[in-house]
Amino acid sequence: MQVCSVAIDGPSGAGKSTISRTVSKRLGFVYIDTGALYRVIGLRVVETGLMDLDTLKLSIEFTNGEQRMFDGTRDVTEAIRRHEVSKAASDCSALPEVRAFLLQLQRDLAGKNNALMDGRDIGTVVLPNADLKIFLTATPECRAQRRFEELSQKGGVFTYEQILSDIKQRDFNDSTRKEAPLKRAPDAVLLDTTGNTFDESASLVEALIRERLTDVL
């Protein structure tokens, strides 16, 4: 069976995960959140101070279309979304050994079903032959406000200024790292969602996929 893949890249806080998850459900695609893979490693570092890929038993399960992340038998799907895990995940993602450790796993996941995969280097490194590539972005201020509202609803105690500073630092780290830096693939469609509501952004992505992949949908 021939399958197709959509690669969505972009900076932290651009809404890649939530938009991709929603759009994949509408289209009947499998959604693969690659950032969650790095977050599992980041969580290990936050909790133990060690990365130790040799003992990491990272696995993914799909329950009712939802991706659940495991370290061994422990379901860490919620734990990896903690704010402090984001920086650790970004630091880990700059390491060549970490990216090599996860590369084939990501490709294998995308090769089994019609898949929508998001991350930082999906269109440039992981799936360079994806049927459609999208670079999803927004201003740092817009992304910080979205993240601040999201964390506030979950009881977070971070200020907007802290989150904005973290996002700008992560943008710098992700775009200047030596190994697979964040950048727009030459053939990726740029979508700037600054000022958009979530529904507006999700509808833009869905419409673009339906327009470009008419033979599949």
Side-chain angles (χ1 to χ4, degrees), residues 28-183:
F29 280 31
V30 170
Y31 165 57
I32 303 169
D33 174 9
T34 63
L37 303 174
Y38 292 96
R39 284 175 174 271
V40 174
I41 299 174
L43 178 65
R44 173 76 72 92
V45 172
V46 167
E47 293 184 340
T48 70
L50 301 172
M51 187 167 59
D52 195 6
L53 297 177
D54 291 336
T55 63
L56 182 66
K57 293 182 173 58
L58 190 159
S59 63
I60 299 175
E61 294 182 10
F62 292 95
T63 304
N64 297 324
E66 292 289 336
Q67 177 176 301
R68 307 294 300 181
M69 302 302 304
F70 290 83
D71 182 356
T73 60
R74 179 190 176 194
D75 186 334
V76 295
T77 305
E78 279 73 40
I80 62 173
R81 296 300 167 186
R82 286 160 31 197
H83 183 66
E84 62 269 27
V85 175
S86 294
K87 183 179 185 304
S90 179
D91 292 342
C92 291
S93 70
L95 302 175
E97 61 268 32
V98 173
R99 306 200 74 83
F101 176 76
L102 295 176
L103 180 59
Q104 194 56 50
L105 172 60
Q106 295 172 86
R107 288 177 173 170
D108 289 345
L109 288 168
K112 295 176 181 177
N113 301 278
N114 289 336
L116 198 160
M117 180 180 287
D118 79 305
R120 302 289 193 283
D121 64 343
I122 308 306
T124 54
V125 176
V126 180
L127 300 178
N129 298 315
D131 298 277
L132 173 62
K133 301 174 186 177
I134 298 171
F135 193 86
L136 192 68
T137 190
T139 64
E141 292 75 16
C142 177
R143 290 183 277 130
Q145 184 62 37
R146 291 172 180 171
R147 183 64 59 84
F148 173 70
E149 292 172 359
E150 176 188 355
L151 293 173
S152 296
Q153 290 175 357
K154 296 179 180 179
V157 295
F158 296 94
T159 65
Y160 166 81
E161 289 74 20
Q162 286 176 306
I163 295 172
L164 177 60
S165 176
D166 286 349
I167 280 180
K168 288 182 176 180
Q169 184 62 53
R170 185 162 186 182
D171 284 353
F172 176 80
N173 292 345
D174 287 346
S175 60
T176 61
R177 68 188 180 208
K178 183 178 179 180
E179 188 73 15
L182 169 67
K183 61 181 180 180

